[in-house]
Amino acid sequence: MFKNRLITALVLAPLVIAAVLLLKPTPFSVVWGGVILLAGWEWAGVSGIDDRVGRIAFLVALGLPMAIASFWAPYTVDWLMWPVVAWWFAVGMLLRAKPDKALAIRLPVGLKLGLGWFILLTSWILFIWLRFNFGAVQALYLLVLISFADMAAYFVGRSWGFTKLMPEISPGKTVEGLYGALAVSAVLAVAVGLWFKLEPLTIADFVILSLVTVVTSVGGDLFESLLKRQRGVKDSGSLLPGHGGVLDRIDALLASVAVFYAGSMLLGLFLQSAEPVTIEVPTEMDGAPVQVEPIEPEPDDSASEHAPEPMAPEADEPDATDAGTDESAPEE
């Protein structure tokens, strides 16, 4: 099984990296949307929908708002992440406090489908926003963070894990594995912060955000495990040898992307550039995203500042969109 898991990871990793780093808004949205729809097919099965017609109907309900995102996404850019963060916080508190009672709760099939629709759709748009508002590197960092945390939890848990984390829901997860995941995540965050020459205080914020993101990702993994145990299945599917289904592979990402995106927004964390940044909503299906609100950095003598704050451009400074020309910004 481990051999299959390794081979699958080696095949998928270059494809995922290429998609995040190279694809433009429209193809990236379509590719990521395809992954979400595959996960949606499996979510319907885990929720109790066995017939093909029922699963297709769920995919239509999920795919339709994705296809018309240009009509609704611009109106949700400032707040959509917060209901998602609140949901995963509530799930984490419930699983932590009363895992046995959480397992005993038998949700109706319709409610499970509604939760899946909400989780999958919001994860789709939030990861797109993360990719094009904060840059490919920041999106790729989230994927690497989740992958490293998962591998650390797996190896530490197998080698030194004795204390079960939530045996009622996921017998294989251990407290020691979680600590190993957090330790590796902290080291990774510090290394990335130093690589991008972030300020010490910004690195501290980055580490905290990364740790909170990893804890949330564990909650997403456990919630899917809860649904699978209630359904009586081990994996959500069999499309990925050694990993189970697509939903098994991205469950942690579905939970963590909202927290990481919201934290990046609040802290003003931009790994890629200290240049003026334009927050965009990539909903134009013919190419460039729709500009929503410009965010430009305050003047700073330090070249290592990576957390720009909103401000208006100085009257005697050239406009960022006219870089390379001889015209200056108009007087206010």
Side-chain angles (χ1 to χ4, degrees), residues 241-269:
H243 294 269
V246 174
L247 186 59
D248 294 320
R249 185 64 273 173
I250 68 169
D251 53 5
L253 177 62
L254 296 177
S256 60
V257 63
V259 172
F260 188 72
Y261 181 81
S264 297
M265 288 283 289
L266 283 178
L267 298 173
L269 280 167

PDB file of all heavy atoms in Angstrom, residues 241-269:
ATOM      1  N   PRO A 241      -4.691   5.147  -6.300  1.00  0.00           N
ATOM      2  CA  PRO A 241      -4.127   3.988  -5.600  1.00  0.00           C
ATOM      3  C   PRO A 241      -3.282   4.405  -4.400  1.00  0.00           C
ATOM      4  O   PRO A 241      -2.429   5.272  -4.499  1.00  0.00           O
ATOM      5  CB  PRO A 241      -3.261   3.311  -6.671  1.00  0.00           C
ATOM      6  CG  PRO A 241      -3.847   3.759  -7.970  1.00  0.00           C
ATOM      7  CD  PRO A 241      -4.345   5.153  -7.734  1.00  0.00           C
ATOM      8  N   GLY A 242      -3.544   3.784  -3.267  1.00  0.00           N
ATOM      9  CA  GLY A 242      -2.798   4.089  -2.048  1.00  0.00           C
ATOM     10  C   GLY A 242      -3.356   5.258  -1.260  1.00  0.00           C
ATOM     11  O   GLY A 242      -3.023   5.436  -0.090  1.00  0.00           O
ATOM     12  N   HIS A 243      -4.193   6.072  -1.903  1.00  0.00           N
ATOM     13  CA  HIS A 243      -4.784   7.240  -1.237  1.00  0.00           C
ATOM     14  C   HIS A 243      -6.294   7.133  -1.100  1.00  0.00           C
ATOM     15  O   HIS A 243      -6.902   7.938  -0.394  1.00  0.00           O
ATOM     16  CB  HIS A 243      -4.454   8.521  -2.021  1.00  0.00           C
ATOM     17  CG  HIS A 243      -3.012   8.863  -2.026  1.00  0.00           C
ATOM     18  ND1 HIS A 243      -2.430   9.673  -1.075  1.00  0.00           N
ATOM     19  CD2 HIS A 243      -2.006   8.508  -2.867  1.00  0.00           C
ATOM     20  CE1 HIS A 243      -1.137   9.811  -1.333  1.00  0.00           C
ATOM     21  NE2 HIS A 243      -0.862   9.109  -2.416  1.00  0.00           N
ATOM     22  N   GLY A 244      -6.906   6.183  -1.783  1.00  0.00           N
ATOM     23  CA  GLY A 244      -8.350   6.088  -1.776  1.00  0.00           C
ATOM     24  C   GLY A 244      -8.944   6.929  -2.884  1.00  0.00           C
ATOM     25  O   GLY A 244      -8.552   6.827  -4.048  1.00  0.00           O
ATOM     26  N   GLY A 245      -9.885   7.793  -2.519  1.00  0.00           N
ATOM     27  CA  GLY A 245     -10.540   8.635  -3.501  1.00  0.00           C
ATOM     28  C   GLY A 245      -9.979  10.041  -3.520  1.00  0.00           C
ATOM     29  O   GLY A 245      -9.103  10.401  -2.732  1.00  0.00           O
ATOM     30  N   VAL A 246     -10.515  10.844  -4.427  1.00  0.00           N
ATOM     31  CA  VAL A 246     -10.099  12.247  -4.514  1.00  0.00           C
ATOM     32  C   VAL A 246     -10.456  12.983  -3.232  1.00  0.00           C
ATOM     33  O   VAL A 246      -9.680  13.794  -2.713  1.00  0.00           O
ATOM     34  CB  VAL A 246     -10.776  12.917  -5.730  1.00  0.00           C
ATOM     35  CG1 VAL A 246     -10.476  14.410  -5.755  1.00  0.00           C
ATOM     36  CG2 VAL A 246     -10.319  12.261  -7.022  1.00  0.00           C
ATOM     37  N   LEU A 247     -11.632  12.701  -2.682  1.00  0.00           N
ATOM     38  CA  LEU A 247     -12.052  13.347  -1.440  1.00  0.00           C
ATOM     39  C   LEU A 247     -11.109  13.007  -0.294  1.00  0.00           C
ATOM     40  O   LEU A 247     -10.817  13.864   0.563  1.00  0.00           O
ATOM     41  CB  LEU A 247     -13.483  12.935  -1.103  1.00  0.00           C
ATOM     42  CG  LEU A 247     -14.138  13.623   0.093  1.00  0.00           C
ATOM     43  CD1 LEU A 247     -14.194  15.129  -0.104  1.00  0.00           C
ATOM     44  CD2 LEU A 247     -15.541  13.063   0.332  1.00  0.00           C
ATOM     45  N   ASP A 248     -10.624  11.773  -0.264  1.00  0.00           N
ATOM     46  CA  ASP A 248      -9.646  11.393   0.769  1.00  0.00           C
ATOM     47  C   ASP A 248      -8.367  12.213   0.654  1.00  0.00           C
ATOM     48  O   ASP A 248      -7.715  12.509   1.653  1.00  0.00           O
ATOM     49  CB  ASP A 248      -9.297   9.902   0.635  1.00  0.00           C
ATOM     50  CG  ASP A 248     -10.482   9.007   0.940  1.00  0.00           C
ATOM     51  OD1 ASP A 248     -11.228   9.312   1.883  1.00  0.00           O
ATOM     52  OD2 ASP A 248     -10.662   8.003   0.226  1.00  0.00           O
ATOM     53  N   ARG A 249      -8.017  12.589  -0.576  1.00  0.00           N
ATOM     54  CA  ARG A 249      -6.767  13.309  -0.807  1.00  0.00           C
ATOM     55  C   ARG A 249      -6.886  14.797  -0.504  1.00  0.00           C
ATOM     56  O   ARG A 249      -5.897  15.423  -0.080  1.00  0.00           O
ATOM     57  CB  ARG A 249      -6.326  13.104  -2.265  1.00  0.00           C
ATOM     58  CG  ARG A 249      -4.986  13.687  -2.653  1.00  0.00           C
ATOM     59  CD  ARG A 249      -3.844  13.049  -1.902  1.00  0.00           C
ATOM     60  NE  ARG A 249      -3.577  13.691  -0.624  1.00  0.00           N
ATOM     61  CZ  ARG A 249      -2.726  13.263   0.292  1.00  0.00           C
ATOM     62  NH1 ARG A 249      -2.067  12.146   0.116  1.00  0.00           N
ATOM     63  NH2 ARG A 249      -2.545  13.913   1.403  1.00  0.00           N
ATOM     64  N   ILE A 250      -8.072  15.383  -0.690  1.00  0.00           N
ATOM     65  CA  ILE A 250      -8.195  16.838  -0.547  1.00  0.00           C
ATOM     66  C   ILE A 250      -9.030  17.255   0.664  1.00  0.00           C
ATOM     67  O   ILE A 250      -9.302  18.449   0.836  1.00  0.00           O
ATOM     68  CB  ILE A 250      -8.796  17.479  -1.820  1.00  0.00           C
ATOM     69  CG1 ILE A 250     -10.259  17.086  -2.010  1.00  0.00           C
ATOM     70  CG2 ILE A 250      -7.978  17.122  -3.043  1.00  0.00           C
ATOM     71  CD1 ILE A 250     -10.966  17.869  -3.082  1.00  0.00           C
ATOM     72  N   ASP A 251      -9.438  16.300   1.518  1.00  0.00           N
ATOM     73  CA  ASP A 251     -10.290  16.672   2.651  1.00  0.00           C
ATOM     74  C   ASP A 251      -9.621  17.695   3.564  1.00  0.00           C
ATOM     75  O   ASP A 251     -10.267  18.627   4.061  1.00  0.00           O
ATOM     76  CB  ASP A 251     -10.723  15.433   3.437  1.00  0.00           C
ATOM     77  CG  ASP A 251      -9.553  14.549   3.856  1.00  0.00           C
ATOM     78  OD1 ASP A 251      -8.381  14.934   3.620  1.00  0.00           O
ATOM     79  OD2 ASP A 251      -9.793  13.463   4.397  1.00  0.00           O
ATOM     80  N   ALA A 252      -8.316  17.541   3.780  1.00  0.00           N
ATOM     81  CA  ALA A 252      -7.603  18.505   4.626  1.00  0.00           C
ATOM     82  C   ALA A 252      -7.541  19.884   3.977  1.00  0.00           C
ATOM     83  O   ALA A 252      -7.672  20.916   4.661  1.00  0.00           O
ATOM     84  CB  ALA A 252      -6.189  17.994   4.926  1.00  0.00           C
ATOM     85  N   LEU A 253      -7.365  19.918   2.664  1.00  0.00           N
ATOM     86  CA  LEU A 253      -7.312  21.192   1.951  1.00  0.00           C
ATOM     87  C   LEU A 253      -8.661  21.898   1.988  1.00  0.00           C
ATOM     88  O   LEU A 253      -8.732  23.122   2.122  1.00  0.00           O
ATOM     89  CB  LEU A 253      -6.876  20.959   0.503  1.00  0.00           C
ATOM     90  CG  LEU A 253      -6.832  22.187  -0.406  1.00  0.00           C
ATOM     91  CD1 LEU A 253      -5.811  23.202   0.107  1.00  0.00           C
ATOM     92  CD2 LEU A 253      -6.510  21.788  -1.834  1.00  0.00           C
ATOM     93  N   LEU A 254      -9.744  21.131   1.873  1.00  0.00           N
ATOM     94  CA  LEU A 254     -11.074  21.727   1.901  1.00  0.00           C
ATOM     95  C   LEU A 254     -11.311  22.508   3.188  1.00  0.00           C
ATOM     96  O   LEU A 254     -11.967  23.556   3.183  1.00  0.00           O
ATOM     97  CB  LEU A 254     -12.142  20.633   1.767  1.00  0.00           C
ATOM     98  CG  LEU A 254     -12.164  19.848   0.452  1.00  0.00           C
ATOM     99  CD1 LEU A 254     -13.231  18.766   0.504  1.00  0.00           C
ATOM    100  CD2 LEU A 254     -12.371  20.764  -0.740  1.00  0.00           C
ATOM    101  N   ALA A 255     -10.784  22.012   4.290  1.00  0.00           N
ATOM    102  CA  ALA A 255     -10.975  22.685   5.570  1.00  0.00           C
ATOM    103  C   ALA A 255      -9.986  23.820   5.775  1.00  0.00           C
ATOM    104  O   ALA A 255     -10.328  24.849   6.375  1.00  0.00           O
ATOM    105  CB  ALA A 255     -10.852  21.667   6.708  1.00  0.00           C
ATOM    106  N   SER A 256      -8.775  23.669   5.296  1.00  0.00           N
ATOM    107  CA  SER A 256      -7.713  24.609   5.649  1.00  0.00           C
ATOM    108  C   SER A 256      -7.648  25.845   4.766  1.00  0.00           C
ATOM    109  O   SER A 256      -7.134  26.886   5.180  1.00  0.00           O
ATOM    110  CB  SER A 256      -6.354  23.900   5.594  1.00  0.00           C
ATOM    111  OG  SER A 256      -6.091  23.395   4.292  1.00  0.00           O
ATOM    112  N   VAL A 257      -8.176  25.771   3.544  1.00  0.00           N
ATOM    113  CA  VAL A 257      -7.992  26.886   2.612  1.00  0.00           C
ATOM    114  C   VAL A 257      -8.676  28.151   3.117  1.00  0.00           C
ATOM    115  O   VAL A 257      -8.138  29.252   2.972  1.00  0.00           O
ATOM    116  CB  VAL A 257      -8.487  26.500   1.201  1.00  0.00           C
ATOM    117  CG1 VAL A 257      -9.976  26.215   1.189  1.00  0.00           C
ATOM    118  CG2 VAL A 257      -8.142  27.602   0.202  1.00  0.00           C
ATOM    119  N   ALA A 258      -9.848  28.024   3.745  1.00  0.00           N
ATOM    120  CA  ALA A 258     -10.542  29.217   4.244  1.00  0.00           C
ATOM    121  C   ALA A 258      -9.754  29.885   5.358  1.00  0.00           C
ATOM    122  O   ALA A 258      -9.633  31.116   5.411  1.00  0.00           O
ATOM    123  CB  ALA A 258     -11.944  28.842   4.739  1.00  0.00           C
ATOM    124  N   VAL A 259      -9.201  29.085   6.265  1.00  0.00           N
ATOM    125  CA  VAL A 259      -8.421  29.635   7.381  1.00  0.00           C
ATOM    126  C   VAL A 259      -7.157  30.305   6.869  1.00  0.00           C
ATOM    127  O   VAL A 259      -6.803  31.412   7.301  1.00  0.00           O
ATOM    128  CB  VAL A 259      -8.082  28.518   8.383  1.00  0.00           C
ATOM    129  CG1 VAL A 259      -7.097  29.015   9.445  1.00  0.00           C
ATOM    130  CG2 VAL A 259      -9.353  28.005   9.047  1.00  0.00           C
ATOM    131  N   PHE A 260      -6.471  29.658   5.941  1.00  0.00           N
ATOM    132  CA  PHE A 260      -5.228  30.226   5.427  1.00  0.00           C
ATOM    133  C   PHE A 260      -5.500  31.492   4.629  1.00  0.00           C
ATOM    134  O   PHE A 260      -4.751  32.471   4.723  1.00  0.00           O
ATOM    135  CB  PHE A 260      -4.518  29.193   4.548  1.00  0.00           C
ATOM    136  CG  PHE A 260      -3.137  29.609   4.128  1.00  0.00           C
ATOM    137  CD1 PHE A 260      -2.099  29.620   5.045  1.00  0.00           C
ATOM    138  CD2 PHE A 260      -2.866  29.977   2.822  1.00  0.00           C
ATOM    139  CE1 PHE A 260      -0.819  30.004   4.665  1.00  0.00           C
ATOM    140  CE2 PHE A 260      -1.598  30.365   2.430  1.00  0.00           C
ATOM    141  CZ  PHE A 260      -0.569  30.386   3.357  1.00  0.00           C
ATOM    142  N   TYR A 261      -6.562  31.496   3.848  1.00  0.00           N
ATOM    143  CA  TYR A 261      -6.898  32.688   3.061  1.00  0.00           C
ATOM    144  C   TYR A 261      -7.297  33.844   3.975  1.00  0.00           C
ATOM    145  O   TYR A 261      -6.838  34.975   3.795  1.00  0.00           O
ATOM    146  CB  TYR A 261      -8.039  32.354   2.100  1.00  0.00           C
ATOM    147  CG  TYR A 261      -8.451  33.506   1.219  1.00  0.00           C
ATOM    148  CD1 TYR A 261      -7.732  33.817   0.076  1.00  0.00           C
ATOM    149  CD2 TYR A 261      -9.561  34.296   1.527  1.00  0.00           C
ATOM    150  CE1 TYR A 261      -8.109  34.871  -0.748  1.00  0.00           C
ATOM    151  CE2 TYR A 261      -9.943  35.351   0.712  1.00  0.00           C
ATOM    152  CZ  TYR A 261      -9.213  35.638  -0.412  1.00  0.00           C
ATOM    153  OH  TYR A 261      -9.565  36.677  -1.220  1.00  0.00           O
ATOM    154  N   ALA A 262      -8.144  33.565   4.963  1.00  0.00           N
ATOM    155  CA  ALA A 262      -8.581  34.620   5.880  1.00  0.00           C
ATOM    156  C   ALA A 262      -7.400  35.160   6.681  1.00  0.00           C
ATOM    157  O   ALA A 262      -7.273  36.381   6.885  1.00  0.00           O
ATOM    158  CB  ALA A 262      -9.652  34.079   6.823  1.00  0.00           C
ATOM    159  N   GLY A 263      -6.513  34.277   7.142  1.00  0.00           N
ATOM    160  CA  GLY A 263      -5.344  34.725   7.888  1.00  0.00           C
ATOM    161  C   GLY A 263      -4.403  35.552   7.041  1.00  0.00           C
ATOM    162  O   GLY A 263      -3.847  36.555   7.516  1.00  0.00           O
ATOM    163  N   SER A 264      -4.216  35.155   5.802  1.00  0.00           N
ATOM    164  CA  SER A 264      -3.363  35.933   4.905  1.00  0.00           C
ATOM    165  C   SER A 264      -3.936  37.325   4.671  1.00  0.00           C
ATOM    166  O   SER A 264      -3.204  38.315   4.594  1.00  0.00           O
ATOM    167  CB  SER A 264      -3.204  35.199   3.562  1.00  0.00           C
ATOM    168  OG  SER A 264      -2.561  33.951   3.722  1.00  0.00           O
ATOM    169  N   MET A 265      -5.267  37.412   4.571  1.00  0.00           N
ATOM    170  CA  MET A 265      -5.920  38.699   4.391  1.00  0.00           C
ATOM    171  C   MET A 265      -5.741  39.583   5.633  1.00  0.00           C
ATOM    172  O   MET A 265      -5.388  40.756   5.534  1.00  0.00           O
ATOM    173  CB  MET A 265      -7.404  38.488   4.098  1.00  0.00           C
ATOM    174  CG  MET A 265      -7.705  37.943   2.728  1.00  0.00           C
ATOM    175  SD  MET A 265      -7.582  39.191   1.422  1.00  0.00           S
ATOM    176  CE  MET A 265      -9.034  40.171   1.776  1.00  0.00           C
ATOM    177  N   LEU A 266      -5.995  39.012   6.794  1.00  0.00           N
ATOM    178  CA  LEU A 266      -5.929  39.787   8.025  1.00  0.00           C
ATOM    179  C   LEU A 266      -4.514  40.283   8.309  1.00  0.00           C
ATOM    180  O   LEU A 266      -4.311  41.427   8.743  1.00  0.00           O
ATOM    181  CB  LEU A 266      -6.423  38.946   9.200  1.00  0.00           C
ATOM    182  CG  LEU A 266      -7.932  38.754   9.336  1.00  0.00           C
ATOM    183  CD1 LEU A 266      -8.240  37.862  10.523  1.00  0.00           C
ATOM    184  CD2 LEU A 266      -8.628  40.103   9.498  1.00  0.00           C
ATOM    185  N   LEU A 267      -3.537  39.409   8.096  1.00  0.00           N
ATOM    186  CA  LEU A 267      -2.153  39.744   8.416  1.00  0.00           C
ATOM    187  C   LEU A 267      -1.442  40.465   7.283  1.00  0.00           C
ATOM    188  O   LEU A 267      -0.336  40.977   7.484  1.00  0.00           O
ATOM    189  CB  LEU A 267      -1.383  38.461   8.766  1.00  0.00           C
ATOM    190  CG  LEU A 267      -1.897  37.691   9.987  1.00  0.00           C
ATOM    191  CD1 LEU A 267      -1.160  36.361  10.123  1.00  0.00           C
ATOM    192  CD2 LEU A 267      -1.736  38.520  11.262  1.00  0.00           C
ATOM    193  N   GLY A 268      -2.040  40.504   6.104  1.00  0.00           N
ATOM    194  CA  GLY A 268      -1.378  41.129   4.967  1.00  0.00           C
ATOM    195  C   GLY A 268      -0.131  40.385   4.551  1.00  0.00           C
ATOM    196  O   GLY A 268       0.883  40.989   4.210  1.00  0.00           O
ATOM    197  N   LEU A 269      -0.194  39.059   4.563  1.00  0.00           N
ATOM    198  CA  LEU A 269       0.976  38.229   4.245  1.00  0.00           C
ATOM    199  C   LEU A 269       1.035  37.941   2.752  1.00  0.00           C
ATOM    200  O   LEU A 269       0.164  37.249   2.207  1.00  0.00           O
ATOM    201  CB  LEU A 269       0.906  36.913   5.020  1.00  0.00           C
ATOM    202  CG  LEU A 269       1.353  36.974   6.477  1.00  0.00           C
ATOM    203  CD1 LEU A 269       0.947  35.705   7.202  1.00  0.00           C
ATOM    204  CD2 LEU A 269       2.850  37.179   6.572  1.00  0.00           C
TER     205      LEU A 269
END
